[in-house]
Amino acid sequence: MKIKYKIALYYTLSATLMLIAFAGLAYYFSAKSRKAEYLERLEYRARSIANVIIEDGNVKVDLLRKLDRTTFQDLYKETILVYNPGYDLLYSNLKDTTIRTNPALLAYIKENNLYSYDKGNGEVVGVYYTEGTVSVIVIVSSFDKYGFQNLQNLRQILLIELLIAIVVLVGVGYFFARKMVQPIDKLVEQVDSINANNLQDTQVAVKGKDEISKLGANFNTMLQRLSESFHLQKSFVSNASHELRTPLAAIISQLQVALSKDRSHEEYVTLLASLLEDAENLSDLSNGLLQLAQSEMRQEGFVGSDVRIDELLLEMPTLIRLKQKNSSKVDIHFVKVPDNDMLVTCHGNENLLKVLFLNLIDNACKFSENNTALVTIDFFTQYILIQIKDNGIGIPPIEINKIFEPFYRGQNALQIRGHGLGLSICKKIVQIHNGHITVTSSPTEGTTFTVMLPHL
């Protein structure tokens, strides 16, 4: 069932139940009021009869018979019974009918002075009346013809009103349900038109400040993220396939040339050295792609721990020498000495942080004229500040905003071995740790990368 039909149905059912409850209460209190009013009327009638028949200390029922013959009855199907305190019947307006009144009832009326009850054809009121030394028990019963007729009319009116109200509620409920669901229908219609081809240029219309508009805004944010992810995926697949194809093609071509004829020992050694270089290049590229894929995972996917950044950086010289296999140097300096270890401790993933600084320091060593990277450590109120500086060729200003894109390499760095993955990996690792990374560069002073990580 559609939401608008559910809204209309629930609205109609709830409103109908409320109307039925109100109509039931109105009928109940009307019936209760009718009964109380009619019993009060019967009581007044019984006391009036008792007051008429007691005169000069005697009970004069003849006067009551005379009044009964000469006047109209005030009440419909009225029955009048008059008893003395000994429960003897003194008067009855019933003819040719055997009168049977339970003595226990008469005793109860005599004891309590007043009693009322319902019977099949109406209400009954009994009164024990005393005037002077004379007492009588008067029982009056009648059927409230006009009261019950009014109740029946009220019941019919309420039923007709309920039927009309239900019809109106169905129409009103459906109208308002359509109005309420209309933005959702428009949102669904716009979402149905979105596909992978128009994802980048599509957004749903957002109006108002209600929950539906908030849903639309969140959906637009999700579209933007998906668009960025699709774009990144396409770029990644395109560039990765291109980068992987190059070393593989080189390896295949060299092997084909080597197998075309017999070679000397020296030629095989030269060929194997070239193949080893291409294989190392391919290994570096594969590791870079793996690190990039890992860095694009959500932060919740990593197990965090407290990492001493200064101790991590002190491991870098050894790791750089193992990676570059040359005389690269890493100079590490503290701007100020921390008096608390937490000032240089970051909560994060140790392996990713190691990849971050290894990539930055490796680049600094490769691009420095003397293969030396200068690393400084400082700390502030909330962040640890690490700067990695080289004295190399610098980055052109027009390219400095693109260096963190995957597979992007500056025009002045094409002659240096690399794939353009390291800095994009570094940026994502810093973002995962809620930090910041910036770069400044000059052709004469080299390039400086600044990493800010929150400390404990």
Side-chain angles (χ1 to χ4, degrees), residues 232-425:
L232 181 63
Q233 184 183 32
K234 290 180 180 178
S235 176
F236 179 85
V237 171
S238 175
N239 292 320
S241 60
H242 178 268
E243 294 291 335
L244 287 171
R245 186 166 56 246
T246 301
L248 287 174
I251 292 173
I252 293 172
S253 62
Q254 292 182 77
L255 289 174
Q256 289 175 341
V257 171
L259 293 173
S260 62
K261 63 178 182 178
D262 293 335
R263 306 285 177 177
S264 63
H265 175 73
E266 291 77 10
E267 288 176 330
Y268 279 122
V269 170
T270 303
L271 175 65
L272 290 176
S274 177
L275 291 175
L276 177 60
E277 182 180 357
D278 289 334
E280 289 177 345
N281 189 18
L282 183 60
S283 176
D284 291 341
L285 178 59
S286 301
N287 291 332
L289 293 174
L290 179 61
Q291 292 172 357
L292 182 61
Q294 290 177 340
S295 65
E296 289 176 352
M297 294 172 63
R298 292 180 60 86
Q299 184 176 356
E300 291 81 355
F302 300 107
V303 178
S305 61
D306 295 341
V307 182
R308 285 280 301 268
I309 300 300
D310 55 344
E311 294 180 354
L312 190 67
L313 290 172
L314 291 174
E315 299 178 15
M316 292 297 111
T318 302
L319 296 176
I320 288 296
R321 283 193 294 270
L322 291 175
K323 182 176 182 179
Q324 294 194 356
K325 300 177 182 179
N326 56 25
S327 58
S328 297
K329 293 176 58 179
V330 181
D331 291 336
I332 302 176
H333 301 281
F334 282 88
V335 175
K336 51 182 177 285
V337 179
D339 55 0
N340 188 344
D341 292 343
M342 290 193 300
L343 296 175
V344 290
T345 302
C346 172
H347 184 79
N349 185 278
E350 184 176 0
N351 292 329
L352 287 180
L353 291 173
K354 189 176 293 186
V355 171
L356 165 67
F357 293 115
L358 185 61
N359 285 340
L360 292 176
I361 294 174
D362 181 48
N363 284 345
C365 291
K366 286 194 298 184
F367 287 97
S368 292
E369 295 180 355
N370 56 358
N371 294 335
T372 300
L374 177 62
V375 181
T376 59
I377 306 174
D378 198 0
F379 51 88
F380 297 97
T381 305
Q382 297 179 344
Y383 290 94
I384 310 168
L385 189 144
I386 304 98
Q387 289 187 323
I388 296 96
K389 186 178 185 306
D390 64 49
N391 56 0
I393 57 178
I395 303 172
I398 194 174
E399 297 178 348
I400 200 166
N401 293 326
K402 302 178 182 179
I403 60 172
F404 291 108
E405 296 179 3
F407 299 103
Y408 184 85
R409 302 194 69 200
Q411 294 299 318
N412 60 349
L414 295 178
Q415 71 279 7
I416 299 176
R417 178 178 170 179
H419 304 285
L421 290 174
L423 292 180
S424 61
I425 295 171

Side-chain angles (χ1 to χ4, degrees), residues 213-232:
S213 61
K214 187 176 180 180
L215 173 64
N218 291 338
F219 187 79
N220 287 336
T221 303
M222 183 189 70
L223 283 180
Q224 183 179 0
R225 293 174 180 171
L226 288 175
S227 175
E228 293 175 355
S229 298
F230 273 109
H231 177 71
L232 181 63

